[in-house]
Every structure is written in structure tokens, then in C-alpha cells.
Amino acid sequence: MTALIQLENITKSFAGVHALTDVDFDLHAGEVHALVGENGAGKSTLMRVLGGEMRPNAGRTLIEGEEIRLAGPTDAIRRGISVIHQEMALAPDLSVAENIFLGALPQGINWPRLNERARALIERLGFDISPRTQVADLAVAHQQVVEIAKALSRDVKAIVFDEPTAVLASGDAERLLEIIKGLRAEGVGIVYISHRLDEIYKIADRITVMKDGQRVGTVTPASTPVEELIRMMVGRPLSQLFGDKPETAIGEEVLRIDGLTLPNGVRDVSFSIRRGEVVGLGGLVGSGRTEVARAIFGADRISGGTMLLKGAAYSPRSPRHAVKQGVGLVPEDRKSQGVVLDMEIRKNATMAKSGPITRAGFFKPSAERSVVERLIRSLRIKLGSMNDPVSSLSGGNQQKVVLAKWFNADPDLIILDEPTRGVDVGAKTEIYSLIHQLASAGKAVIVISSEHAELFGLCDRVLVMGEGRLRGELQPHEFKEEKLLTLSMTGHRQSGTEGRA
């Protein structure tokens, strides 16, 4: 059977450095072919070749058996290939219908007809979104639907999804996977790039692993355990991902919360954390985990309850006040809240604590350089120059810059909200090691994660939230996904006994 798309012996280099070396990849109609590997493995470069954004130095592209040379992205679209990047290419000030047919709008627009065609495409995906709505007013999940509808408007044969669920809540992510299954059933070929291996095992027919610009192999989910897939990606098994947790002396209490209540539905939350502890905050998306973190950091108003920080009454008026009191937060969305993407790496790394790089109010470049060089070495940040913008870095290294900011600020309590979201497996291991370092240095660390294996691999204990309440606490001998989910959803342990933190 002739493949829908074949990439054969694709080689691509930049300034003499090989990004791809003799890579083969094929895609059949009506299948989901996942593409996995660490950041820098060559996945996005290969898909840019397929999407016509880059021309390979060697190799050939075949569509339904015919060898072609793509003249650019428009040529790829004309031939039925659409690439949906993680950073969506939508015009926020235009309507849904205008975005769907952008690039193919006639001079004299029949608006009722255009809106009706847009509505039909959206309903085909199982959604009810007004075609007249401005895209800027849509939730991220609905913007994804517009991107997919735009691809369908072009008689698409193959769609590439690049990290499509990285910024979606779990419910929206599940809905997107259902859409992709529907497209597969209609005969569309899907290339699916994701760091979320659980999604890949749910949806993929085949998985191709890349490493260092080369194809390691192509396997099926049924024949390949996740441990083996990770070993193919990073050269070591799953059991080594979290490393050996160092023996850490548990010290004095850093934070105590009693009866924390927020206007957004969080009610009567009480817990404490000590120096040297890594405490997880688990539960379903929407359970109140992030809201608790923001309240501790002074980003949201508290309507009831008390907090003690290092034994003294603590009522942060703002994030700036929280930082001065010794509290740091790595937010869930690093791109909009954790870093300034267009600002230099060196400025991002020192923005939370500028005292050591100034004297009498004057900036000291040599002191800044020394501080940033130390942070780059200790966190093993891969970069060209500290003067480059953060946007020039991979996702894992962007997250390390966020961590560098707090390593420099040296807080007593640091909260990490989804610390490895959108980060490849290799970079996750390095971030886990940094979290261990924080605990070993006597910091109190709170980790919020939707990846239950991450909570169990990192934490000394896990506090479980559900519907705005703290449902209970899991100790290491209780670390099982079904226990966490049961506690979050029902407030009861599997045995039927009530959990108490």
C-alpha cells in the first residue's frame, strides 16, 4: 500500500551542523503516527521540511507516491498538508470565519455564506462556536478548534499537530484527542508530536523515536512498553528518571496554613510544610491547587483563614511582598507569567533579586555577569549567549531560566506549578535533580503536577485536593494513581476511610 507521505533520507544542516541526518518517515491515510524525542532531537525540523517551511539539503519527499519539491508552506497546503504549531497562527482581531478562510477570501465576500461554511466545519468537529466571534475572545481550546477547521477547509490529507495539548486543561485535551480520532476515521493522516506519553499511548498507531537528528526506530504502542520508549529517547530507563532522592534533614516549619478560604471557591484548606520537604499538591485540574499557590504568593486575595511564615503572621499584599518575605513561585504558564520572552536571559535570571548586582542604586555589569554565569553552570542551561532573549531557548531551558531566577532569589519556600509542562524527558530529569537540590539546601518545596508519576517520584508526601477542599494526604506507601484519584473525586480513600492532612 502506497504511503500518503514519504520522507526519505532527509538531511538538513545549519552552518555545517546537522539537524537531520538521513531520516526516513512515512504516514498512511487514516493513521496517527506519533513523533517523539527530546528537545533538539529534530522533530520540528523534520515537520518544517514536510510543511514546506524548510528545504532539505538532501533526500526526497513523496506524496501518494509522486516525488515533489515543495516551494513553500502555501505549496504544501495546496497539496493537502497542514501544520498546526504549538504557537497558533490565528489573527486575534478577526472573526472565527475570517480566520478559517484566511488566505482564500474572495474580494466580494458573501458573509452569510462564509459564516455558514465556517459553522458547518466547526459542527463537523462537534463544537458550537459562533463564526462571528472574534478569535481573541475564545478560550485556547476553541482556538485549537478554529485551527483544525482552517485545515479542513483546504481539503486536507495530512495534519501535523505539534504539542497540541501543552496549554490545554485535561478535559479539553481529551476532547482534542477525540477530534483527532474522528479525523483518522475520515481517512486523514495525523502526525502527532507530544511530550505527553500517556496521550501517545492512547491515540497513536505507530511511534517514531528521534534522537540527535536521527531516527532511532519506529514501533507500535502495543509492542513497546513506556520504559522501553523512554530508553530509546534518552538512553536510560524510566526508573532512572527521578534519580536517587538524597537523604534530607527535615527542619523547622516554614509555612502553616489554617482554614484558608478564597473568593474563588477554595474552602478551609489547612496544612504545613517544613524545611527540606518536597510536598506534592495533587488532584484534578480545577480542584483548587493553583489557586492555593497564588494565594500563598500574594497574587490572589484571601477571604478567610490564617498563614504563618517562619513562625510569624503572614498576609502577603502582593507577589512583590511575598518575594521579600522569602516566597517564590514558578507559575503554571512560564511564557506569560514566568519569564519575559523578549528580554535577555541575564535580566530574567536576576529580576527577582537585583541587590547583589547593584551598588548604591547603580547597576554593576561585572557582578551581573558573575551571578548569571554561576546560575548557567549550576542549572546547566544550554544557550548561545546570556544576552540572547529567553525566546531563543528550548522549552526545557526556558524553564531552567525561571528556576534560575528563584535559585538567585534564594527563597525559604518555593512553589513549582507544573514545573515540567511542555518539557522533554531529558530536561525533566535535570529539573527533578534541581528540585532535589532545593530540598537538600533546606528549602521547603511545594510541587503541583498533573503527572501523578511525577508527584510520586519527587515528593515526601502528597496533599490531595478536590472541589476546592483538601481531601487528604498520601504517604509514600500509598502512592498509587487510583488512590489519588479516588481521594480527589470522593474525599474517601479506597478502603472507605476518611483522609486527613
Side-chain angles (χ1 to χ4, degrees), residues 47-85:
M47 290 303 100
R48 286 190 174 101
V49 170
L50 174 59
E53 297 175 46
M54 293 181 178
R55 288 191 179 181
N57 299 106
R60 62 182 193 150
T61 300
L62 295 91
I63 298 179
E64 296 178 317
E66 177 189 357
E67 183 174 353
I68 53 97
R69 285 180 61 85
L70 293 171
T74 303
D75 190 18
I77 290 169
R78 183 176 62 82
R79 295 176 184 272
I81 301 169
S82 286
V83 181
I84 299 178
H85 295 287

Side-chain angles (χ1 to χ4, degrees), residues 254-473:
V254 174
L255 177 73
R256 173 169 290 276
I257 294 176
D258 286 308
L260 180 69
T261 299
L262 308 176
N264 52 28
V266 171
R267 304 179 301 283
D268 197 28
V269 172
S270 302
F271 67 89
S272 67
I273 181 171
R274 297 178 175 273
R275 291 190 181 277
E277 272 196 303
V278 180
V279 174
L281 205 52
L284 301 175
V285 172
S287 61
R289 303 169 304 169
T290 294
E291 289 78 4
V292 169
R294 287 176 56 84
I296 296 170
F297 192 58
D300 288 338
R301 185 171 61 85
I302 296 170
S303 56
T306 61
M307 292 192 284
L308 294 176
L309 185 68
K310 294 174 287 187
Y314 173 63
S315 181
R317 299 185 298 274
S318 66
R320 183 185 296 273
H321 181 221
V323 173
K324 289 181 178 179
Q325 297 295 309
V327 178
L329 171 66
V330 173
E332 182 179 14
D333 185 353
R334 66 171 174 267
K335 291 189 175 181
S336 65
Q337 300 173 3
V339 291
V340 182
L341 286 171
D342 294 333
M343 185 186 289
E344 296 95 323
I345 294 163
R346 59 183 174 82
K347 290 183 179 179
N348 272 278
T350 56
M351 67 168 60
K353 185 180 180 181
S354 58
I357 61 172
T358 60
R359 177 178 294 167
F362 291 96
F363 171 66
K364 298 189 297 182
S366 61
E368 180 194 52
R369 185 168 55 253
S370 177
V371 167
V372 176
E373 286 175 348
R374 173 179 56 80
L375 292 168
I376 290 169
R377 285 194 305 271
S378 62
L379 277 74
R380 291 186 288 185
I381 301 172
K382 296 176 183 176
L383 74 169
S385 164
M386 69 173 68
N387 294 313
D388 292 340
V390 173
S391 59
S392 68
L393 302 177
S394 67
N397 284 295
Q398 287 181 12
Q399 189 72 335
K400 286 183 183 180
V401 172
V402 183
L403 288 168
K405 177 172 66 177
W406 296 116
F407 268 71
N408 182 52
D410 198 31
D412 297 292
L413 169 68
I414 183 164
I415 307 167
L416 306 161
D417 194 352
E418 302 289 357
T420 63
R421 173 170 288 175
V423 170
D424 68 64
V425 176
K428 282 185 178 183
T429 302
E430 294 185 338
I431 290 172
Y432 298 152
S433 176
L434 295 172
I435 292 171
H436 290 324
Q437 285 181 37
L438 288 167
S440 295
K443 310 302 179 186
V445 184
I446 297 175
V447 175
I448 301 171
S449 179
S450 299
E451 295 188 32
H452 301 142
E454 187 165 86
L455 289 176
F456 299 156
L458 281 173
C459 300
D460 299 298
R461 53 193 173 99
V462 176
L463 308 176
V464 181
M465 293 198 65
E467 297 182 346
R469 292 184 178 273
L470 185 58
R471 300 287 202 183
E473 175 180 305

Side-chain angles (χ1 to χ4, degrees), residues 121-175:
L121 288 168
I122 292 168
E123 288 178 350
R124 176 179 166 186
L125 297 172
F127 283 79
D128 181 18
I129 303 170
S130 171
R132 296 178 176 84
T133 302
Q134 192 171 317
V135 162
D137 295 332
L138 296 179
V140 174
H142 285 180
Q143 291 181 16
Q144 284 274 24
V145 172
V146 175
E147 280 276 27
I148 299 168
K150 183 166 67 173
L152 294 178
S153 74
R154 302 160 173 165
D155 296 322
V156 71
K157 297 176 182 176
I159 303 178
V160 179
F161 289 89
D162 190 355
E163 293 288 350
T165 62
V167 295
L168 298 184
S170 59
D172 293 331
E174 288 294 332
R175 188 73 182 274

